[in-house]
Amino acid sequence: MLFFRVGNRHVAAHLVHQRALSGADAINALRPFYFAVHPDFFGQHPREREVNENSLKRLNGYLENLQKPGTRSVQPTKLTFYVREIKEKEDIQKDVLPPGFRSVSFTLQTKDVLTTVMDVLKSCSLSTEHVKELKASSESPKSQQPVSGHGNPFYRPIKWDKSYYSFTGFRDPEQELKQAKKVEPTLSLWLRNHEKEATKKQNASVPRREELKRLKKELCQKFALEDIRWQRSWGVTHRCCQLQSLSRLSQQNPEAVLNLRGHTIIFTDQSGMNASGHVMLGTMDVHHQWTKLFVSLPSYRSLLQQTEWLKERISHVLGGIQVINVERLGPVQPIEEHCSILNTFHKRLLARRLALHPRSLQGLAMTLENDRSSPSLHEMGHFIIPATCEPSRLQTFLQSMACEARQRIKHRNQLQKEEEEVLLHCLEALALRNLSKEPSVRHNQMIPCCRRLLEERSPLMEGLRVEVSHFYSVMQDGDLCIPWDWKGASLKHS
């Protein structure tokens, strides 16, 4: 894995005096980067796709913040991408499936869009020569488009003239995606081609699954753990190795591990405690780092108590609304950062006396974000509030959107119940061993998917472990991933 710490030093001299890049300019300049890391091309690599999805969201948020009026600095942001190794002269058909890729991690701490674009490209070992050309061509008014779009965080809003690709030698992402969709098989055809492979891998994984179940139960009982979870979809063998490593550490240093009592452990990319109070064990860390964390857990618990107190005070001031933590797919928010955000927000509330009835917002929920400028209401019904939101503006927004929030929560609960019912029906009717979905698959995608599976009733799925995702894939342990919008036989020629 390659690691870069990126600053704002690496800007070509001839670009410094030019005006700052607009949102559209940034999109243009980052086209080669988007093409190299876009999740659409990682269908056969779900874990890498998940990392890229979340890192792209964070990068887009970083670019948005740089363009806000009056912004002087943005919080440093660490990003990890899996970058495709692209051979420019390959035939398009060959490049539909992901070629080899490498992992690149870097920290952005830039102060303008241009420097950010240059650093991203350089960190991923991508050419920056085209930036000057794009900069010159972006002077026309029609190129001034916002850096953030609704419903598509990864950006392909600009239809480039085909001459651009001839001139630069880059591949056309729109053409690639169209080609990928065109060759996507129907569900029945894909199952016929991959059911045997999935069954073979699933049968081979049975001993490993039993070992994983045994290890997890043993560790939970031994140290009175609430649960053991994994942030990513690591394979069964990988998970077993992580639990075995924890078991060995408990034998080497039993006193330190006793501090884990009552906690939930999450295996993830970094060690520490997350905003929910769960103990995070970085899978790349050595035993010494885990031991150091276990010894520090009493201090972390004190910090957790402080965050709970701050949440109670905020709720009291804001009419009974609850401050919640929504578990992310991407980088986890450490408890230190969460406590700092809560403290900043609480101080701003105390500076102004808000006129909210003590129970007017009871039953509603909100999250606090450090990288937003405007409050918003999530489709699932919780508010997303910037930590620096002006209190009087916040009060107006919460009061005006409270009714809509309650309606969305009601709708969410209805969808959740409906999804649970149709999932159970599907599991039993198709005789599946397991049926689940990726966190990024929404209720209104999962429900019609399950209904269509019931209509299709493919006997090839019997006894398999199925996960509804965005792409077809057979995982290393035999889990069968299918896209939620899979093609049926009737759509084959559509």
Side-chain angles (χ1 to χ4, degrees):
M1 184 179 289
L2 303 176
F3 289 90
F4 300 86
R5 186 156 186 90
V6 181
N8 57 1
R9 306 183 300 275
H10 309 295
V11 184
H14 66 278
L15 291 175
V16 174
H17 70 281
Q18 297 184 19
R19 68 171 176 81
L21 285 178
S22 68
D25 296 334
I27 297 166
N28 291 352
L30 287 173
R31 281 280 182 156
F33 164 74
Y34 285 136
F35 180 50
V37 305
H38 200 290
D40 285 357
F41 296 107
F42 285 79
Q44 300 298 316
H45 304 277
R47 289 185 291 277
E48 287 76 12
R49 171 164 49 83
E50 183 180 301
V51 171
N52 283 10
E53 280 178 351
N54 290 287
S55 290
L56 280 169
K57 290 176 184 177
R58 288 166 64 83
L59 173 59
N60 286 335
Y62 189 93
L63 290 170
E64 282 180 354
N65 289 332
L66 285 176
Q67 294 177 93
K68 292 171 185 173
T71 299
R72 294 185 179 181
S73 63
V74 179
Q75 185 176 1
T77 300
K78 182 177 180 179
L79 301 173
T80 296
F81 288 102
Y82 288 94
V83 182
R84 299 195 303 148
E85 301 287 6
I86 303 166
K87 296 179 180 178
E88 295 296 340
K89 301 302 181 181
E90 283 185 344
D91 183 76
I92 289 176
Q93 182 74 18
K94 293 179 182 178
D95 206 28
V96 169
L97 295 176
F101 50 80
R102 54 194 165 84
S103 177
V104 178
S105 293
F106 53 91
T107 299
L108 289 174
Q109 46 188 20
T110 49
K111 297 181 180 179
D112 60 79
V113 175
L114 173 59
T115 310
T116 304
V117 168
M118 295 291 287
D119 283 347
V120 169
L121 292 172
K122 288 183 177 181
S123 296
C124 295
S125 302
L126 296 171
S127 172
T128 58
E129 292 299 317
H130 65 290
V131 176
K132 185 176 181 180
E133 303 294 334
L134 298 177
K135 189 72 170 62
S137 66
S138 68
E139 298 296 336
S140 60
K142 63 182 180 181
S143 71
Q144 305 303 313
Q145 299 181 18
V147 75
S148 179
H150 296 290
N152 182 6
F154 307 122
Y155 279 114
R156 281 205 197 93
I158 301 174
K159 297 282 187 180
W160 284 23
D161 189 272
K162 300 302 178 183
S163 61
Y164 165 73
Y165 300 103
S166 300
F167 173 74
T168 60
F170 296 123
R171 307 300 292 275
D172 183 350
E174 300 292 347
Q175 188 176 359
E176 294 283 348
L177 285 178
K178 186 182 294 185
Q179 183 71 15
K181 278 292 181 184
K182 189 180 295 183
V183 300
E184 182 179 294
T186 62
L187 176 64
S188 58
L189 176 60
W190 193 86
L191 286 173
R192 283 199 299 272
N193 292 335
H194 296 86
E195 180 269 333
K196 287 185 179 179
E197 177 193 359
T199 300
K200 182 179 179 181
K201 287 184 175 181
Q202 182 174 290
N203 291 338
S205 73
V206 170
R208 296 194 298 271
R209 293 181 189 274
E210 291 298 321
E211 175 67 3
L212 178 64
K213 184 178 178 181
R214 183 192 68 79
L215 283 169
K216 182 177 178 180
K217 181 179 179 181
E218 180 182 286
L219 287 169
C220 284
Q221 290 179 343
K222 186 175 181 180
F223 301 109
L225 300 174
E226 282 289 320
D227 195 10
I228 298 177
R229 304 175 190 169
W230 288 264
Q231 190 200 7
R232 293 202 206 155
S233 303
W234 281 299
V236 176
T237 300
H238 196 165
R239 296 187 183 200
C240 280
C241 289
Q242 292 161 356
L243 294 187
Q244 288 165 352
S245 181
L246 179 59
S247 181
R248 286 194 301 272
L249 176 58
S250 69
Q251 295 168 7
Q252 297 165 3
N253 196 339
E255 295 81 12
V257 182
L258 289 176
N259 284 331
L260 285 171
R261 293 179 67 87
H263 282 286
T264 291
I265 288 178
I266 300 181
F267 287 96
T268 181
D269 295 326
Q270 64 189 85
S271 293
M273 181 177 282
N274 70 6
S276 300
H278 302 325
V279 176
M280 303 184 295
L281 297 183
T283 57
M284 299 300 289
D285 292 343
V286 296
H287 279 180
H288 171 71
Q289 291 165 299
W290 286 5
T291 302
K292 187 176 179 182
L293 168 63
F294 298 157
V295 172
S296 303
L297 282 180
S299 298
Y300 276 111
R301 281 194 283 268
S302 176
L303 199 58
L304 180 62
Q305 289 176 350
Q306 188 177 346
T307 64
E308 295 303 319
W309 180 84
L310 286 168
K311 288 178 182 179
E312 288 178 8
R313 299 311 304 157
I314 291 169
S315 176
H316 178 74
V317 175
L318 293 181
I321 193 170
Q322 279 191 310
V323 181
I324 62 172
N325 307 310
V326 177
E327 291 195 8
R328 309 176 181 185
L329 292 175
V332 180
Q333 186 181 55
I335 188 76
E336 302 94 329
E337 180 184 339
H338 185 57
C339 189
S340 175
I341 293 173
L342 287 170
N343 193 42
T344 299
F345 185 71
H346 183 238
K347 287 180 179 178
R348 292 182 72 88
L349 290 180
L350 293 181
R352 296 288 298 270
R353 199 173 188 84
L354 300 182
L356 277 166
H357 188 278
R359 293 182 297 277
S360 60
L361 299 179
Q362 202 160 11
L364 300 180
M366 59 175 271
T367 63
L368 279 174
E369 300 288 344
N370 215 20
D371 55 356
R372 288 178 176 266
S373 60
S374 301
S376 62
L377 179 61
H378 193 273
E379 64 178 355
M380 292 291 103
H382 63 267
F383 291 97
I384 304 173
I385 307 300
T388 56
C389 188
E390 202 278 320
S392 59
R393 180 190 180 192
L394 173 62
Q395 176 178 325
T396 302
F397 180 77
L398 292 176
Q399 290 176 323
S400 64
M401 297 299 291
C403 184
E404 175 65 20
R406 295 186 192 281
Q407 290 177 353
R408 293 190 186 186
I409 291 172
K410 183 179 179 181
H411 181 59
R412 178 199 68 196
N413 292 338
Q414 290 172 342
L415 284 177
Q416 189 170 340
K417 182 180 178 182
E418 187 177 351
E419 180 186 293
E420 290 171 356
E421 290 174 350
V422 72
L423 190 148
L424 183 60
H425 185 196
C426 206
L427 187 66
E428 295 174 348
L430 301 180
L432 300 175
R433 188 175 295 266
N434 187 56
L435 178 60
S436 59
K437 69 171 186 175
E438 281 192 356
S440 57
V441 176
R442 300 190 301 273
H443 297 310
N444 58 6
Q445 294 173 331
M446 185 66 173
I447 292 170
C449 173
C450 288
R451 287 175 176 163
R452 293 177 62 224
L453 287 175
L454 287 168
E455 294 173 2
E456 187 90 355
R457 287 187 181 272
S458 173
L460 294 174
M461 299 181 75
E462 185 176 335
L464 293 178
R465 295 176 177 271
V466 178
E467 181 176 73
V468 177
S469 176
H470 298 275
F471 297 90
Y472 286 112
S473 179
V474 177
M475 306 300 286
Q476 65 188 59
D477 297 303
D479 294 60
L480 204 69
C481 293
I482 64 171
W484 66 270
D485 56 348
W486 51 270
K487 284 184 181 181
S490 61
L491 298 177
K492 186 174 181 179
H493 302 292
S494 63

